[in-house]
Amino acid sequence: MNYFSSKFKLGILGGGQLGKMLLNDTRKFDIYTSVLDASNEAPCKIACNEFHIGDLMDYDAVYNFGKQVDVLTFEIENININALEDLEKEGVKVYPSSKTLRTIQNKVTQKLFYIDNGIPTADFTRFAYTNEIEDAIDNGGLKLPFVWKSAQFGYDGNGVKVVRKMEDLSGLPNVECLTESLIPFKNELAVIVVRNANGDMATYPVVEMEFHPEANQVEYVICPARIDMEVALKATEIALRVSKAYNHVGLLAVEMFQTQNDEIIVNEVAPRPHNSGHQTIEASYTSQFEQHLRAILNLPLGSTESKAAGVMVNLVGAEGHTGDVIYKNIEEIMAMPGVTPHIYGKKETRPFRKMGHVTIVSPSVDEARRIAEEVKKTIKVISE
Amino acid sequence: MNYFSSKFKLGILGGGQLGKMLLNDTRKFDIYTSVLDASNEAPCKIACNEFHIGDLMDYDAVYNFGKQVDVLTFEIENININALEDLEKEGVKVYPSSKTLRTIQNKVTQKLFYIDNGIPTADFTRFAYTNEIEDAIDNGGLKLPFVWKSAQFGYDGNGVKVVRKMEDLSGLPNVECLTESLIPFKNELAVIVVRNANGDMATYPVVEMEFHPEANQVEYVICPARIDMEVALKATEIALRVSKAYNHVGLLAVEMFQTQNDEIIVNEVAPRPHNSGHQTIEASYTSQFEQHLRAILNLPLGSTESKAAGVMVNLVGAEGHTGDVIYKNIEEIMAMPGVTPHIYGKKETRPFRKMGHVTIVSPSVDEARRIAEEVKKTIKVISE
């Protein structure tokens, strides 16, 4: 198929910020794009050729949309998978496949998949409902502390909570879930693996993620990770194993823990462009978004090497501020060397809401990290 | 003024490919954009918030459009300047200013400006009409060979011709024009200068341009130019002098000749993102498009340093091909390291029509130049 022809149509399920950054790179290749999203205010609306409104969990909406495109991809995991399966049967290329997505969409299934495939992951217990956890603790089947995760996807960390004492359980939704041993880790790492339909594979350098202690959101992504070469190689090798097990096409972001003993344990994966790869826009020869396009269109993969070190800072709403957003001191951070803000264009801020990100590139990773802290201290996402 | 507020509106005159690349970078800052172009098929239509149809040479069209925006910029020089002047008087920020554009818009006025400001430029003679040139040659006032340039802007080199013999004059439009001494140059160089309203200035590294001998179009732009440091410093110094003389705000691309004696002579300038800066998207810490936005919004300038060496190859239609375009072997060039195609999305190709460009980045400029030649030999812009 000629992707550079005017007859070709790429469908994207989800019209959010990831989709918008993906659309930016479709412009380079002049690819005709069509987007489906539930909201008429979706960020993607401005940058696609066609915009359709529909619920991504609705079979008919996804199926009817998918029938009109040649290749179908997604920027969010909450999609009606039965529709994807039927589209695949009828010849639409769905990348990543419905099979990959079905395994990933439910965190219990995802954990079982790792066990079936001999991939190291934290011990866990599954529960049909959150309210069964208290009994398990009472009768000694489960010990505090642990990490509670809802089986279905949350957003901005809402589906994950560290439970240290019984009271932490209150307020959690009563849904299918799992509890995981709390891993005392040295570092959280991630590797983005890319694979095209031909089977060509490549990995981006290992990145290191620093989390905000309260919000459970990534605060800094640091590329390359400041870890030993052996640990980096081990993390890359495990990420490749995960990717091969999924046999996925497109990007797969593999999040991992580096334990106190330098073991690598897989935390979870995302089959799409990912927060841990935003710095690739400025720091890599090929951005993760261009790379995802190359993979799903079965084009040759681009170089995953870095032109410079990159650090990404998430811009989240400050505590105590809800309402029309202001990016206080944004001009100050733009005066710092190698700093590029990416503002997502959400009108209202609220505490910990993801409002954008800032990338810092520098020949030196330590210098980039230093400037990132300066950025973090300087810019404030507040309300008017 | 808060450019990151939803009340701010940036106006762009011209909806072509340069505007589209500029719009891509407005997404990073979530800037609200409005575009005016004569064609409903303009490339910018897909990426702006508002699109208006109107003739850029028409006073009312430009004036009425400009009244609705806070800052007005352009991606093409052929604009009704009287409208810009009146908008400035009424408080619209027009960057670059109408005064800068008025001087540049007519090549005779541009040459006189260089002379008035002591900026080295090739000797020239002005003519009210092209048909006066023959008489001047006949009576010994002008000698062959020379370069003929129409005073008003041409596109894709149509306003420029090397005249070696009398017959070369035939077929030229009978318009206001100038003739310039043919400079036997070693290199064509360019420097992009950026200046914001505060007066902060910065220059990108000197680039070297290799021209296609027949089409008079840039074939390769090479960054950094492979020239002596002294020559690079002299070119940068002269570009800064030109910029200061214009007192411009935004980008100014200064094209120069390096003579056989290593003198630097200014050829012409463009007050906007320019073909000689396309490699900055991949090779520089700040792309020329982001930089132009920073300058016209009076934000701090970004770093003009390079992350890697970059070479840009223009993709032009092959001779003998007119019709629906095909990018033959595009997948082969995408398999080469550090190669990114930018396809402009024009449906029809014709000989020498500018259809896109390809950027090659590499730690080594010689390696990037080698791959660029490979790219040039491999990809063919042909018709179906």
Side-chain angles (χ1 to χ4, degrees):
Chain A
M1 184 165 313
N2 181 4
Y3 301 110
F4 300 95
S5 128
S6 55
K7 287 138 205 151
F8 176 79
K9 204 184 272 194
L10 172 65
I12 302 173
L13 296 166
Q17 191 55 39
L18 291 171
K20 199 172 87 174
M21 292 191 273
L22 189 65
L23 284 170
N24 252 6
D25 278 355
T26 64
R27 298 295 96 225
K28 287 188 211 171
F29 303 153
D30 190 45
I31 291 165
Y32 189 97
T33 52
S34 186
V35 169
L36 181 70
D37 194 274
S39 164
N40 196 31
E41 307 271 290
C44 278
K45 206 179 165 187
I46 193 180
C48 59
N49 297 84
E50 282 178 31
F51 184 76
H52 299 265
I53 293 181
D55 181 351
L56 301 178
M57 292 306 288
D58 180 70
Y59 177 92
D60 289 337
V62 172
Y63 178 83
N64 293 330
F65 175 81
K67 284 300 277 183
Q68 298 167 43
V69 304
D70 300 290
V71 170
L72 187 60
T73 191
F74 44 84
E75 57 107 49
I76 191 168
E77 286 93 339
N78 281 325
I79 298 168
N80 188 298
I81 296 194
N82 293 334
L84 295 187
E85 273 176 359
D86 287 350
L87 288 165
E88 281 168 340
K89 281 180 204 148
E90 294 171 27
V92 177
K93 289 174 178 165
V94 179
Y95 297 131
S97 71
S98 64
K99 199 176 150 219
T100 300
L101 187 57
R102 194 179 283 284
T103 310
I104 290 171
Q105 211 179 47
N106 183 297
K107 286 194 189 178
V108 172
T109 319
Q110 192 180 141
K111 291 289 275 188
L112 295 171
F113 179 84
Y114 298 142
I115 291 170
D116 287 349
N117 286 277
I119 290 159
T121 189
D123 292 337
F124 73 104
T125 314
R126 51 194 293 199
F127 293 93
Y129 294 99
T130 306
N131 67 9
E132 294 172 4
I133 295 178
E134 215 168 304
D135 277 355
I137 298 172
D138 286 345
N139 64 33
L142 185 66
K143 284 193 170 38
L144 289 161
F146 54 79
V147 182
W148 172 91
K149 292 182 176 178
S150 85
Q152 301 299 324
F153 270 80
Y155 184 62
D156 278 1
N158 291 330
V160 177
K161 190 174 183 185
V162 176
V163 176
R164 298 187 189 276
K165 49 191 192 302
M166 290 301 255
E167 299 86 78
D168 292 340
L169 284 167
S170 71
L172 287 178
N174 192 27
V175 292
E176 185 192 1
C177 60
L178 60 88
T179 61
E180 235 179 39
S181 318
L182 202 58
I183 305 285
F185 56 83
K186 270 190 204 169
N187 284 304
E188 291 214 38
L189 306 175
V191 171
I192 292 179
V193 185
V194 58
R195 185 171 172 277
N196 67 14
N198 271 353
D200 302 331
M201 292 178 83
T203 56
Y204 280 91
V206 183
V207 301
E208 183 188 339
M209 297 184 289
E210 285 187 40
F211 274 68
H212 186 284
E214 286 161 49
N216 198 41
Q217 284 180 322
V218 178
E219 198 165 23
Y220 302 110
V221 171
I222 301 162
C223 180
R226 296 159 302 173
I227 53 174
D228 287 348
M229 174 86 87
E230 294 76 43
V231 176
L233 283 172
K234 197 189 280 182
T236 304
E237 185 265 323
I238 287 176
L240 276 170
R241 267 166 60 195
V242 175
S243 160
K244 280 179 191 155
Y246 278 116
N247 209 20
H248 77 111
V249 171
L251 291 185
L252 189 75
V254 183
E255 296 184 57
M256 292 166 279
F257 298 117
Q258 174 190 0
T259 67
Q260 299 297 342
N261 309 323
D262 290 341
E263 296 292 315
I264 297 290
I265 283 180
V266 172
N267 181 19
E268 56 188 57
V269 302
R272 52 169 170 76
H274 189 249
N275 196 257
S276 66
H278 285 348
Q279 76 292 341
T280 61
I281 298 173
E282 283 87 6
S284 302
Y285 279 93
T286 313
S287 85
Q288 66 168 342
F289 300 99
E290 178 180 334
Q291 198 72 276
H292 186 67
L293 291 173
R294 286 175 178 245
I296 64 175
L297 302 182
N298 202 20
L299 292 166
L301 301 179
S303 164
T304 51
E305 285 180 49
S306 298
K307 288 183 274 201
V311 174
M312 193 276 293
V313 180
N314 275 322
L315 282 185
V316 298
E319 287 188 86
H321 287 269
T322 299
D324 284 356
V325 66
I326 291 180
Y327 300 92
K328 199 183 160 193
N329 300 332
I330 190 165
E331 305 202 4
E332 279 78 354
I333 71 159
M334 288 179 76
M336 301 175 186
V339 170
T340 305
H342 291 256
I343 303 298
Y344 296 169
K346 299 174 185 174
K347 279 184 190 160
E348 299 217 334
T349 185
R350 53 176 186 262
F352 303 118
R353 187 176 191 197
K354 187 118 158 268
M355 301 298 286
H357 75 265
V358 180
T359 309
I360 300 96
V361 276
S362 166
S364 146
V365 68
D366 293 327
E367 178 66 3
R369 177 63 183 74
R370 193 191 63 71
I371 297 169
E373 203 163 318
E374 205 64 30
V375 165
K376 187 86 193 170
K377 276 188 208 151
T378 306
I379 191 165
K380 298 289 170 219
V381 183
I382 59 175
S383 52
E384 284 185 329
Chain B
M1 182 164 315
N2 181 4
Y3 301 109
F4 301 95
S5 129
S6 54
K7 287 139 204 151
F8 176 80
K9 204 183 271 193
L10 172 65
I12 302 173
L13 296 167
Q17 191 55 39
L18 290 172
K20 198 171 89 174
M21 292 191 273
L22 189 66
L23 284 170
N24 253 7
D25 278 355
T26 64
R27 298 294 97 226
K28 286 188 210 170
F29 303 154
D30 190 45
I31 291 166
Y32 189 96
T33 51
S34 185
V35 170
L36 180 70
D37 194 275
S39 165
N40 197 31
E41 308 270 290
C44 279
K45 205 179 165 186
I46 195 180
C48 59
N49 296 84
E50 282 178 31
F51 183 77
H52 299 265
I53 293 181
D55 181 350
L56 301 179
M57 292 306 288
D58 180 70
Y59 177 92
D60 289 338
V62 172
Y63 178 83
N64 292 331
F65 175 80
K67 284 301 277 183
Q68 299 167 43
V69 303
D70 300 290
V71 170
L72 188 60
T73 191
F74 44 85
E75 58 108 46
I76 191 168
E77 287 93 339
N78 281 325
I79 298 168
N80 187 299
I81 296 196
N82 294 334
L84 296 187
E85 273 176 358
D86 288 350
L87 288 165
E88 281 168 342
K89 282 180 202 147
E90 294 170 26
V92 177
K93 289 174 178 163
V94 180
Y95 297 131
S97 72
S98 63
K99 199 176 149 218
T100 301
L101 187 57
R102 195 179 281 286
T103 310
I104 290 170
Q105 214 180 45
N106 183 297
K107 286 193 188 178
V108 172
T109 318
Q110 193 182 138
K111 291 289 275 191
L112 294 171
F113 179 84
Y114 298 142
I115 290 170
D116 288 348
N117 286 278
I119 289 158
T121 188
D123 292 336
F124 72 103
T125 312
R126 51 193 295 200
F127 293 92
Y129 294 99
T130 306
N131 66 11
E132 295 171 4
I133 295 177
E134 215 168 304
D135 278 353
I137 297 171
D138 285 344
N139 64 34
L142 186 66
K143 284 195 169 36
L144 290 161
F146 55 79
V147 182
W148 172 91
K149 291 182 176 178
S150 85
Q152 301 297 326
F153 269 81
Y155 183 62
D156 278 2
N158 291 329
V160 178
K161 189 174 182 185
V162 176
V163 176
R164 297 186 190 277
K165 48 190 192 302
M166 290 300 256
E167 299 87 78
D168 292 341
L169 284 167
S170 71
L172 288 177
N174 192 28
V175 293
E176 186 193 0
C177 61
L178 60 87
T179 61
E180 236 179 37
S181 317
L182 202 58
I183 305 284
F185 57 82
K186 270 189 203 169
N187 283 304
E188 291 213 37
L189 306 175
V191 171
I192 292 178
V193 185
V194 59
R195 185 171 171 277
N196 66 14
N198 273 352
D200 302 332
M201 293 179 82
T203 56
Y204 279 91
V206 184
V207 301
E208 182 188 338
M209 296 185 290
E210 285 186 40
F211 274 69
H212 186 285
E214 286 161 50
N216 197 41
Q217 285 179 322
V218 178
E219 198 165 22
Y220 301 111
V221 171
I222 302 162
C223 180
R226 297 159 302 172
I227 53 174
D228 287 348
M229 174 86 87
E230 293 76 42
V231 176
L233 283 173
K234 198 189 282 181
T236 304
E237 186 264 323
I238 287 176
L240 276 170
R241 268 166 58 195
V242 175
S243 160
K244 281 179 191 153
Y246 278 117
N247 209 22
H248 76 110
V249 171
L251 290 186
L252 188 76
V254 183
E255 296 184 57
M256 292 166 280
F257 297 118
Q258 174 191 0
T259 68
Q260 299 297 341
N261 309 324
D262 289 342
E263 297 292 316
I264 297 290
I265 284 180
V266 172
N267 181 19
E268 55 188 59
V269 302
R272 52 169 170 77
H274 189 249
N275 196 257
S276 66
H278 286 347
Q279 77 291 340
T280 61
I281 298 172
E282 283 87 6
S284 302
Y285 278 93
T286 313
S287 85
Q288 65 167 342
F289 300 99
E290 178 180 334
Q291 199 71 277
H292 186 68
L293 291 172
R294 286 176 178 245
I296 64 174
L297 301 181
N298 202 19
L299 292 166
L301 301 179
S303 164
T304 52
E305 285 180 50
S306 297
K307 289 183 273 202
V311 174
M312 192 276 294
V313 180
N314 275 323
L315 283 185
V316 298
E319 287 188 86
H321 287 270
T322 299
D324 285 357
V325 65
I326 291 179
Y327 301 92
K328 200 182 159 195
N329 300 333
I330 191 165
E331 306 201 3
E332 279 77 355
I333 70 160
M334 288 179 76
M336 301 176 186
V339 170
T340 305
H342 292 256
I343 303 298
Y344 296 169
K346 299 174 185 173
K347 278 184 190 161
E348 297 217 336
T349 185
R350 52 175 186 262
F352 302 117
R353 186 177 193 198
K354 189 118 158 267
M355 301 298 287
H357 74 264
V358 180
T359 309
I360 301 97
V361 277
S362 167
S364 146
V365 68
D366 293 327
E367 178 67 2
R369 177 62 183 77
R370 193 191 63 71
I371 297 168
E373 202 163 317
E374 205 64 31
V375 164
K376 186 87 192 170
K377 275 187 209 152
T378 306
I379 191 165
K380 298 289 168 220
V381 183
I382 58 174
S383 53
E384 284 187 328

